[in-house]
Amino acid sequence: MKAYKLDIGGIDYACVEAGEGPLLLLCHGTFGGKRLMFPQLEYLSRHFRCVALDWRGHGGSGHTPGGWTANDLVEDVAAIIGALGEKRAMIAGVSQGGAVGMRVALKYPEKVRALVNMCGGPGGPPPAAIRRLYDLAAFFAEERDEAVRRAAVVEFAASYFHAPSFITREPERFAEEVDAILSHPRESIRLLPCVPESYVDITPRLGEITCPTLIIWAAEEARKTMGIELAAAIPGAELVTIPDAGHHVNVDQPEATSEAIERFLLRH
């Protein structure tokens, strides 16, 4: 694996790359980080040029002090594909990564060879959930007692992202996710909910997505039927449901998720 940064419109994007072949962008969710995509990067780099990135404000990437939107990330992805010397890419994203991927496929269909959406919805969370995310982000930014801060991140990640069995089944993997969340700069972590807040519901436009699409949905995802609804609305989309997995399906069940992505992309 090699690590580097790309200057995208004045924002440094931290990336890790492995493998050769068609370009595959691996995009994490809000509060996640590129390291959470490493199991997919390592597995899929046998066939593809895999690039895992930190979104704006996450991990090693820069950010804009005034915040940013989902539309900004759509433009960033389009620019990243070009900066990597490619005209087209496959996009595999979880949560925010999947939500942004669908929007890239709508705005820049010529740039997206195939799309894998893992638990990414077409719209944003309700206002009460957004307020809760902002409150949590402010706490993560301001709390100076590291033990208290870590305990809050543990509770947040366990309740939002995972199947009930995950923490006891994979304690090391869960600790890695907690470390990833704690690694975000304090000045940017408070801004991370600005993307979920910015989503405009694209449900009426899902039928316009023309690239081959795989929906990977977690059996323990709170929005039980959304995966079925997305697959029905996107022409020709395929659906794979991963058992014993929550919202961060690729973290809960990395092997099953990676295998599903591999099977799909090798056909397209």
Side-chain angles (χ1 to χ4, degrees):
M1 292 192 295
K2 60 180 180 180
Y4 53 86
K5 290 191 176 182
L6 293 174
D7 183 341
I8 305 297
I11 303 293
D12 282 338
Y13 262 84
C15 302
V16 171
E17 178 175 333
E20 297 179 353
L23 177 61
L24 171 61
L25 297 182
L26 298 168
C27 305
H28 65 82
T30 308
F31 290 101
K34 64 181 181 298
R35 73 172 78 174
L36 302 183
M37 309 301 293
F38 282 4
Q40 286 71 55
L41 182 140
E42 292 170 358
Y43 189 91
L44 296 166
S45 62
R46 299 181 300 170
H47 309 289
F48 309 111
R49 180 190 179 191
C50 295
V51 176
L53 56 88
D54 281 331
W55 288 123
R56 292 193 193 195
H58 293 77
S61 291
H63 72 286
T64 41
W68 54 98
T69 67
N71 288 339
D72 291 325
L73 299 187
V74 168
E75 298 302 323
D76 288 352
V77 170
I80 286 168
I81 293 170
L84 292 169
E86 303 285 351
K87 294 182 179 179
R88 305 170 70 203
M90 299 170 289
I91 301 173
V94 61
S95 189
Q96 176 175 296
V100 171
M102 289 191 294
R103 288 162 171 81
V104 177
L106 284 169
K107 186 165 186 181
Y108 296 105
E110 73 283 0
K111 292 183 179 291
V112 183
R113 297 180 59 157
L115 175 66
V116 179
N117 174 11
M118 297 172 269
C119 297
I130 292 292
R131 288 194 295 272
R132 173 64 174 156
L133 287 177
Y134 271 115
D135 288 344
L136 284 166
F139 183 84
F140 298 158
E142 296 165 8
E143 177 57 49
R144 296 297 163 180
D145 186 318
E146 288 299 331
V148 172
R149 188 168 179 253
R150 176 173 287 273
V153 170
V154 166
E155 181 181 4
F156 165 67
S159 60
Y160 275 74
F161 296 146
H162 297 293
S165 67
F166 175 71
I167 297 172
T168 53
R169 176 169 52 83
E170 296 287 354
E172 292 182 3
R173 195 176 296 159
F174 181 63
E176 184 176 18
E177 181 178 57
V178 170
D179 289 341
I181 297 172
L182 289 169
S183 74
H184 304 323
R186 288 177 181 265
E187 64 270 19
S188 64
I189 196 170
R190 66 172 66 249
L191 297 171
L192 300 189
C194 64
V195 170
E197 184 183 32
S198 74
Y199 288 135
V200 174
D201 192 351
I202 60 171
T203 298
R205 297 193 61 201
L206 292 174
E208 300 173 34
I209 295 176
T210 57
C211 65
T213 300
L214 173 65
I215 306 296
I216 294 181
W217 215 251
E220 303 298 326
E221 163 70 43
R223 301 162 299 174
K224 294 288 187 184
T225 64
M226 187 173 286
I228 297 171
E229 293 161 4
L230 286 169
I234 298 172
E238 302 175 28
L239 173 66
V240 172
T241 301
I242 304 293
D244 197 19
H247 186 62
H248 279 183
V249 59
N250 67 307
V251 179
D252 274 20
Q253 296 290 349
E255 294 84 5
T257 300
S258 298
E259 289 168 1
I261 296 172
E262 179 186 52
R263 287 193 300 270
F264 172 75
L265 292 182
L266 287 178
R267 293 201 310 274
H268 297 285

